[in-house]
Amino acid sequence: TMPAEDFFPGCNNTDFYIHIGMRDNNMAESDWDNFSGTDCNAHTTASWSIPVPTADYSIHKRAEGVLQDAGDLMLYSIDFEYGNGPLSITDQLPYPATGQFIIESAGPLGAYSITNGSIGGAVGPSTSITWTLPNRTGMVGKASGTVWVLLRMTSEINSGTNIFNTASGNMNGNVKTTSITTTVGQSVVNLVKSQSSNTLALGAVVTYILEYDISGSKLVGYQSFDDIPLGNYSPAPPGWINSGPGINYWEILDECGTGDRVLRGDSDPFNYPGLLYDDLFGSPTGFCTGIIVTDVMISASYEGADALINIRNNNKPETADSIGYAVVLSVDEFIGDNANGSIGFQRCVGTGPGSCIWPASADPQMDIDTNRWYRVKVEATDDFSFRAKVWARGNPEPAGWDVTWTDPTPPAGGGCADDVWYTGLAQQGGDGGVGSFVHDHYDNFMVYEPRTSVNTILEDPIPTGITRLGQSGSPTSTNPLRWNLGTIENEGGSYTWWGEVTTCDPITNMGNITGSGIADVYSNEVILTVSCIEDVEIVKTATPNLIMLGDLVTFEICWENTGELDSNIVITDPIPARVTPVSLGGASNVGGILRWNIGVQPPGASGCVTWTGTVN
């Protein structure tokens, strides 16, 4: 069975291959020995051309950061995915009653135009920004990425003021909108709703997914890599400083041609050069407690490949005073002190062999593979306590954390007040002489300072036409479904519920988050189209079946709506040439054809009509 068009990730794949092998019956041989076909074994390769996707797109707007004090930053980002067409995205920038915003920056570089405004200029009542993405009409695969605009609040806005912001997409006249409301002095709440399918049959089961994210932190650093020119950088691209041993090369790439650029590392084997973030919006700033979020892809040709995110590093790589805490993402199990997972922590003190330990690791909710994007979130909750999670980029953020660890024997000089600390990334050079075939990719690097969020309730009404069958978690109410999330701080997660489709009408649904001190935040609306069948059965009988000339015969026609839709039923019966009608049973007779207009009947309705005549 050929996989559906959505099965194939990325924007550059054109062919799908399946390798089919056969082996002989010598079961003592090593499994699939000589798969190349030089022995009694043989193999072949079948391929298909990946289909051009349906012309469509999706957009979703997010807000990062909290507006509380003058100088606070608000990042509006719009995640997109599109195929087989041109796409433009326009964001009407928010304008409170007295202004109070300037455009700090925007991206991707060269993909946007600003109307009635400029970078560094004030946002006016009619300021908008439009991103024009490449036309992918007729191209295989879908391109995905993020467009963004960063705003700075220049003077305080009254706490509790709601700021509404809407963006719209356009592909060949197909317009979709996405909105977000932020409240000054409160955490930003994002709520996204999705469903398992957009079209189902009557009686099928649909699953709804509610993905929430509450950002209770102040955004202090954002590096999308979109505004860094393409090309190679050694030792470091702008805004970053080099840290660590070995030859260090970094490259800025735009693999899908959308302007959404990424950072890729390259190094010799056994070298692990790092990049430390030195530009928190123009000011080198130490980092100790807070949150780091970034997208990671491990591109390597060997098992054991990994990527590393520096949580805290004092940038003293050649001295005994060097201290660094990091989270590592690996395609296989850790080796070291706690070899039981593919995401875990690393602590290095000093230099040379034995300076690093891997004290805690765990398996996340999915396998970590090469050449696939993941989103990693790590938090330093205090000087020596850390937690981290990972999930596939584009999927809902899982609730909770994959791995947590507190250093029981912290090194001298390792506290927040003991040194200047940086966060950042690292290229893992790999083992076994694989050389430049090992690459780590990074995108959308964000840094937050802690802020407290609010108590929240997640709610989703059961729409008409759905019979609820089950749900995740422990809701306090089942109609509407209501989950008490309690006090949330810098956390996201998702809940699901599922039910049976019991109507043929389109089903719309929208969830919301509310709570003490939070303006209601509604999700996007999802629409389920139900594919129902229209069908009518009909049976005709004659009484009696054996007749003589001049006898009277009665014809009975019985009908039943056996479909799933209301049907407008009309019965017609041509009068046989050798029958003279005597009673028409309420039918009309037009040109020798009897006609009964039964009318619109619901599923399961039935009835009969009769007429009589003599045999002539």
Side-chain angles (χ1 to χ4, degrees):
T1 300
M2 182 61 183
E5 62 184 37
D6 290 338
F7 177 84
F8 306 100
C11 56
N12 297 317
N13 297 319
T14 57
D15 297 294
F16 173 76
Y17 297 92
I18 182 169
H19 300 281
I20 306 163
M22 181 182 296
R23 59 166 296 174
D24 61 28
N25 62 357
N26 182 5
M27 301 307 293
E29 285 189 24
S30 62
D31 199 21
W32 300 103
D33 187 34
N34 291 326
F35 191 69
S36 62
T38 59
D39 194 19
C40 295
N41 306 305
H43 84 283
T44 187
T45 299
S47 66
W48 294 269
S49 295
I50 296 175
V52 174
T54 303
D56 201 4
Y57 70 97
S58 63
I59 56 173
H60 178 68
K61 189 174 187 64
R62 295 181 177 273
E64 309 282 354
V66 177
L67 296 174
Q68 183 168 312
D69 304 315
D72 280 353
L73 295 156
M74 178 64 66
L75 175 69
Y76 288 113
S77 58
I78 304 165
D79 299 324
F80 64 84
E81 182 179 69
Y82 74 107
N84 195 19
L87 177 62
S88 64
I89 301 172
T90 298
D91 194 349
Q92 185 67 45
L93 299 183
Y95 181 78
T98 55
Q100 299 163 299
F101 284 121
I102 64 171
I103 305 175
E104 187 81 6
S105 58
L109 188 70
Y112 65 85
S113 60
I114 301 176
T115 301
N116 297 322
S118 61
I119 300 296
V123 174
S126 59
T127 302
S128 64
I129 181 169
T130 297
W131 294 269
T132 302
L133 301 174
N135 190 343
R136 295 188 61 85
T137 300
M139 298 175 65
V140 171
K142 294 183 179 180
S144 62
T146 304
V147 297
W148 55 273
V149 58
L150 182 67
L151 304 181
R152 184 183 294 274
M153 188 169 71
T154 56
S155 58
E156 291 189 8
I157 302 174
N158 291 335
S159 181
T161 301
N162 290 330
I163 300 176
F164 183 72
N165 183 238
T166 296
S168 62
N170 191 327
M171 175 183 283
N172 296 325
N174 180 13
V175 177
K176 300 179 183 181
T177 62
T178 177
S179 302
I180 189 73
T181 297
T182 59
T183 303
V184 177
Q186 298 177 359
S187 298
V188 174
V189 181
N190 295 296
L191 181 61
V192 182
K193 180 149 195 177
S194 58
Q195 56 192 7
S196 56
S197 178
N198 293 328
T199 303
L200 287 174
L202 187 69
V205 174
V206 61
T207 298
Y208 291 105
I209 304 168
L210 290 160
E211 178 190 359
Y212 68 90
D213 178 76
I214 300 178
S215 172
S217 291
K218 178 180 179 180
L219 179 66
V220 296
Y222 176 60
Q223 176 59 267
S224 68
F225 304 105
D226 295 338
D227 54 356
I228 299 178
L230 298 173
N232 296 308
Y233 293 87
S234 179
W240 299 78
I241 56 176
N242 185 35
S243 174
I247 300 173
N248 188 14
Y249 299 102
W250 300 93
E251 185 176 3
I252 301 296
L253 301 172
D254 180 6
E255 296 176 317
C256 289
T258 62
D260 190 14
R261 301 177 180 182
V262 301
L263 174 75
R264 186 180 77 175
D266 190 7
S267 69
D268 289 339
F270 299 101
N271 288 324
Y272 308 96
L275 284 180
L276 299 180
Y277 194 36
D278 193 40
D279 186 9
L280 296 181
F281 297 111
S283 301
T285 305
F287 175 86
C288 191
T289 59
I291 292 177
I292 307 154
V293 179
T294 191
D295 297 334
V296 177
M297 182 173 71
I298 303 169
S299 175
S301 57
Y302 72 102
E303 290 205 15
D306 49 35
L308 183 143
I309 301 166
N310 281 298
I311 305 172
R312 286 174 40 208
N313 189 300
N314 64 358
N315 196 29
K316 297 177 180 178
E318 305 298 334
T319 71
D321 297 328
S322 171
I323 300 174
Y325 289 94
V327 63
V328 178
L329 189 66
S330 180
V331 300
D332 60 3
E333 297 285 305
F334 272 38
I335 58 172
D337 302 325
N338 193 350
N340 64 348
S342 53
I343 181 173
F345 296 106
Q346 171 183 290
R347 189 199 74 177
C348 298
V349 179
T351 60
S355 62
C356 295
I357 61 171
W358 296 267
S361 63
D363 279 322
Q365 299 180 20
M366 80 293 292
D367 291 333
I368 305 301
D369 299 319
T370 60
N371 297 303
R372 183 178 182 185
W373 279 104
Y374 295 92
R375 181 155 290 173
V376 179
K377 185 175 187 178
V378 57
E379 181 176 14
T381 57
D382 60 32
D383 289 29
F384 302 108
S385 296
F386 313 98
R387 56 187 183 179
K389 69 171 85 171
V390 61
W391 64 98
R393 186 171 73 173
N395 286 358
E397 178 183 345
W401 298 85
D402 291 325
V403 58
T404 61
W405 177 63
T406 297
D407 191 348
T409 57
C416 284
D418 295 330
D419 214 329
V420 176
W421 301 96
Y422 297 86
T423 181
L425 311 166
Q427 160 64 25
Q428 302 297 87
D431 302 341
V434 292
S436 61
F437 294 102
V438 183
H439 298 293
D440 289 335
H441 294 67
Y442 297 97
D443 195 13
N444 297 321
F445 186 84
M446 290 175 278
V447 182
Y448 301 85
E449 288 182 353
R451 270 187 184 160
T452 302
S453 185
V454 293
N455 295 319
T456 55
I457 293 175
L458 177 64
E459 186 175 275
D460 198 13
I462 308 298
T464 301
I466 297 290
T467 299
R468 182 184 58 85
L469 300 177
Q471 68 282 320
S472 65
S474 301
T476 58
S477 168
T478 56
N479 193 11
L481 278 166
R482 185 178 293 122
W483 293 272
N484 185 2
L485 304 181
T487 300
I488 302 295
E489 180 178 307
N490 302 317
E491 194 163 324
S494 61
Y495 284 89
T496 61
W497 69 274
W498 51 94
E500 181 183 356
V501 179
T502 60
T503 181
C504 292
D505 297 327
I507 301 171
T508 60
N509 192 228
M510 179 185 295
N512 72 288
I513 283 183
T514 187
S516 177
I518 299 179
D520 284 358
V521 174
Y522 289 88
S523 74
N524 55 298
E525 183 179 66
V526 293
I527 302 176
L528 176 64
T529 301
V530 184
S531 298
C532 287
I533 300 170
E534 185 174 20
D535 195 22
V536 176
E537 289 188 357
I538 189 168
V539 177
K540 182 176 180 179
T541 59
T543 306
N545 293 122
L546 182 63
I547 54 176
M548 302 294 291
L549 181 66
D551 282 355
L552 189 69
V553 61
T554 298
F555 297 101
E556 183 178 53
I557 304 168
C558 292
W559 57 270
E560 180 181 3
N561 184 351
T562 56
E564 301 165 339
L565 292 169
D566 291 348
S567 293
N568 183 26
I569 297 176
V570 178
I571 296 175
T572 59
D573 192 13
I575 300 171
R578 291 180 289 174
V579 175
T580 300
V582 174
S583 173
L584 300 185
S588 62
N589 184 350
V590 180
I593 298 177
L594 302 180
R595 179 185 180 96
W596 290 266
N597 293 317
I598 305 299
V600 177
Q601 299 295 324
S606 62
C608 298
V609 295
T610 61
W611 68 281
T612 58
T614 56
V615 178
N616 55 27

